[in-house]
Amino acid sequence: MQPMVRAFGAAIASSALVLGASQIAFAAPEGQGQPEFKVGAVDWKPCAEVPTIECGFLELPVDYAKPNGEKFQLAVSRRKANDQSKRIGAMVINPGGPGGSGVDFSFGADRYFSKDVVDKFDIIGFDPRGVARSAPIKCSAEVLQRQPSDYPKTKAEFDALVSFNKELRADCRKVSGAIFDHASTRDVANDIDSIRRALGEKKINYYGVSYGTIMGQHYAEQYGRNIRAMIIDSNMDHSLGTWKFLETEARGAEDVFTEWVKWNDRDASSPFHGKDLRAIWKGLLAKADKGELKDQDGRVITAENLGAGVVSMGYGPAWKPFADYVATLVNGAPAAAKFAEGETFENPFAGIFCNDYNLRVGSWGEYQALNAMENRVAPNTRGSSLGHGAMMGCVGFPKATNPQRPLNIKHAPKILLTNALHDPATVYDWAVNAHRQSRDTTVFVTYEGWGHGVYDRSECTLKINDEYLTSLKLPRNGTRCAAVEPPAQQVMSADAKPAPAGPFSVR
């Protein structure tokens, strides 16, 4: 992934906010009884992008149930520990998504992790199957450009979305090949252990953030005995049904709006400081509902677009940039962002998320009930753009191959589970529930502040994470780290610190 900050980013400018030699035996995962196969070593070479880091590929089965069948090339990278005399081991990392590149994440690992961590660990990045350099899932631009709204207003529009999603899925499968049907996180967990064996490590360390937490959770279930240390930061909950998934996301979005209003009341840098921001926002929503809110190109800005802006702003959080953007809407519309077009576009969501989550809306009536609920729960954001988009992106798809179920971790060491109280994406309730399902194996730490990604939000969170990684020292379960006020003005920069990729980025 390109370097980016924990910020609202360029999206606020748009009215439509988018989101080889030795052979090593591979043993069957715990409880799955899959056939053994041989995995080769990685032929490491300097990465073209960052020559001080090594890159390579690992040939793996597309379908682990058929280890001698079709193969694909899994892209991996290795940033060797700066101080080899103090090397503890290898740490596999993933920035989330689905669709985030772990190889790219490793390029900026020295700006994300502390010096103590990069001194003592080989940082191992990988692009999950279906992503970036690893047999990426792609779809035809011609099909993608015909995508109807994820917010149908009539049964005919709902039916049109179902038809489009079926057409899109067929197109993506045709363009991408066999990897499309074997890109679930259960498959990725097998790939992670293949990486471990290719590296010759008895045990590995793992840091996964956002959607990378599902990878960690699955790995802990299947290969718990192969873990030295694991941090799952900003957690997905892979047990929720459609209603609860949508409801918790909506509550998280509304919470971010409330926290933004509180920031406006306490920070004089806000253009709305001393004003009734809730009333101003209500007026904007009303204008949007009438179709009267437009950008400089004359494109309508919907109430759902405004709500998507709130969710996106909460990642940083980028309180002031979003307030400044809203001020331009109040005083005059902003310029629209331009997006490049091409023959095909990567679209890992369809093959990954829709196989990990069985969020299927079966009828127009069911959709109406779900949409009414999310608007009732989060009137100021019209639900959550992330939750809604994730659900509607899978409408019309067949059942998921790796559907939701409670966590069942039995043989792993203690795992550090962290989450921000006001996370706009992987909402706090998800972390609470994931911990409840794994309370014998996870130690839960809450950051009482804002944003997506906890690792270095404060001296408290950084100390806890680094002590655990380097010495396996864990805090008391239930530890809470106080909120630290983020900078009012987040600045985008090519040299900025890498940040977690958002979860279930839809199309």
Side-chain angles (χ1 to χ4, degrees):
M1 102 187 134
Q2 294 299 315
M4 55 186 175
V5 292
R6 295 185 176 118
F8 180 47
I12 61 174
S14 170
S15 62
L17 297 157
V18 184
L19 296 173
S22 63
Q23 299 292 306
I24 306 164
F26 179 95
E30 291 176 312
Q32 289 201 0
Q34 293 176 340
E36 292 187 2
F37 76 101
K38 304 288 186 178
V39 56
V42 179
D43 182 17
W44 296 109
K45 295 179 181 178
C47 301
E49 301 89 341
V50 185
T52 56
I53 298 175
E54 299 172 308
C55 285
F57 290 91
L58 192 58
E59 186 175 84
L60 298 175
V62 169
D63 183 354
Y64 276 86
K66 300 176 181 178
N68 297 318
E70 186 175 349
K71 304 292 195 300
F72 79 102
Q73 300 291 313
L74 183 82
V76 291
S77 60
R78 178 170 62 182
R79 173 189 286 272
K80 287 187 175 180
N82 291 337
D83 189 344
Q84 288 291 311
S85 68
K86 296 181 179 178
R87 181 186 181 276
I88 293 173
M91 182 169 73
V92 178
I93 61 173
N94 184 271
S101 165
V103 171
D104 288 355
F105 191 25
S106 73
F107 294 161
D110 58 337
R111 289 178 281 124
Y112 187 90
F113 297 102
S114 69
K115 184 178 183 300
D116 202 26
V117 170
V118 294
D119 279 351
K120 295 178 179 179
F121 290 91
D122 292 346
I123 306 297
I124 310 298
F126 75 105
D127 291 349
R129 53 175 58 212
V131 172
R133 304 161 184 84
S134 298
I137 291 172
K138 294 183 178 182
C139 310
S140 299
E142 184 274 327
V143 177
L144 284 169
Q145 289 165 359
R146 291 189 280 104
Q147 179 191 344
S149 172
D150 283 340
Y151 293 88
K153 304 300 181 186
T154 65
K155 182 179 184 300
E157 289 183 1
F158 176 83
D159 291 342
L161 179 60
V162 172
S163 295
F164 170 81
N165 279 352
K166 290 179 178 180
E167 179 187 4
L168 177 65
R169 181 178 183 275
D171 175 79
C172 299
R173 292 183 79 219
K174 180 179 179 181
V175 173
S176 306
I179 200 73
F180 186 92
D181 291 330
H182 299 280
S184 78
T185 302
R186 181 175 58 196
D187 298 299
V188 174
N190 293 331
D191 293 341
I192 292 173
D193 206 60
S194 295
I195 293 172
R196 178 190 67 81
R197 291 181 173 270
L199 294 173
E201 300 284 340
K202 183 177 180 180
K203 294 179 183 291
I204 58 167
N205 306 275
Y206 179 83
Y207 172 84
V209 59
S210 192
Y211 210 82
T213 62
I214 292 190
M215 299 175 192
Q217 292 167 9
H218 276 58
Y219 189 79
E221 288 183 312
Q222 296 174 221
Y223 300 100
R225 292 187 177 93
N226 299 340
I227 297 170
R228 174 191 171 271
M230 173 176 284
I231 297 174
I232 43 179
D233 178 343
S234 306
N235 281 259
M236 300 289 293
D237 181 355
H238 194 229
S239 72
L240 298 177
T242 305
W243 185 278
K244 199 66 176 178
F245 179 92
L246 198 64
E247 179 188 18
T248 49
E249 281 288 85
R251 292 191 189 283
E254 189 74 6
D255 173 69
V256 170
F257 176 81
T258 298
E259 291 301 308
W260 178 56
V261 172
K262 290 179 181 177
W263 168 83
N264 169 80
D265 292 341
R266 69 177 179 262
D267 196 314
S269 73
S270 172
F272 303 108
H273 185 67
K275 301 178 182 179
D276 188 347
L277 182 54
R278 286 185 178 274
I280 293 169
W281 184 259
K282 186 177 180 180
L284 270 182
L285 287 175
K287 192 174 181 181
D289 282 334
K290 295 176 183 177
E292 298 173 354
L293 197 61
K294 299 180 180 181
D295 65 22
Q296 287 184 350
D297 290 337
R299 293 180 297 192
V300 172
I301 300 173
T302 67
E304 289 81 13
N305 293 153
L306 293 175
V310 173
V311 173
S312 186
M313 168 265 292
Y315 274 64
W319 305 130
K320 191 174 189 306
F322 185 66
D324 291 342
Y325 168 73
V326 172
T328 67
L329 289 179
V330 173
N331 300 319
K338 304 295 183 183
F339 297 94
E341 297 181 358
E343 188 176 25
T344 61
F345 290 98
E346 288 191 30
N347 182 30
F349 170 86
I352 301 175
F353 184 85
C354 295
N355 270 330
D356 279 339
Y357 278 86
N358 201 45
L359 306 177
R360 304 297 189 262
V361 183
S363 67
W364 165 241
E366 184 182 0
Y367 170 75
Q368 287 179 297
L370 287 163
N371 188 227
M373 177 272 290
E374 63 180 337
N375 284 317
R376 183 172 63 252
V377 169
N380 286 294
T381 59
R382 303 296 168 89
S384 165
S385 57
L386 287 177
H388 185 99
M391 176 181 73
M392 300 306 286
C394 301
V395 169
F397 276 42
K399 290 182 178 180
T401 59
N402 181 39
Q404 306 94 298
R405 53 180 173 72
L407 270 173
N408 184 24
I409 302 174
K410 293 181 177 179
H411 305 295
K414 292 292 185 180
I415 293 168
L416 180 59
L417 185 156
T418 64
N419 222 91
L421 189 59
H422 304 293
D423 191 314
T426 53
V427 297
Y428 188 69
D429 282 352
W430 290 4
V432 171
N433 204 30
H435 173 59
R436 180 185 60 78
Q437 297 166 38
S438 60
R439 62 176 60 255
D440 292 336
T441 52
T442 57
V443 173
F444 187 17
V445 171
T446 298
Y447 170 61
E448 295 180 320
W450 314 268
H452 187 51
V454 167
Y455 173 71
D456 64 347
R457 286 286 171 175
S458 69
E459 290 183 8
C460 175
T461 61
L462 183 62
K463 183 173 185 288
I464 287 172
N465 279 284
D466 284 358
E467 283 189 347
Y468 169 59
L469 286 175
T470 58
S471 67
L472 298 181
K473 178 183 177 182
L474 279 164
R476 176 184 55 82
N477 185 49
T479 293
R480 303 177 78 89
C481 290
V484 175
E485 189 77 24
Q489 184 73 48
Q490 297 277 3
V491 180
M492 295 297 294
S493 166
D495 297 321
K497 178 178 179 145
F504 37 89
S505 305
V506 185
R507 293 199 282 271

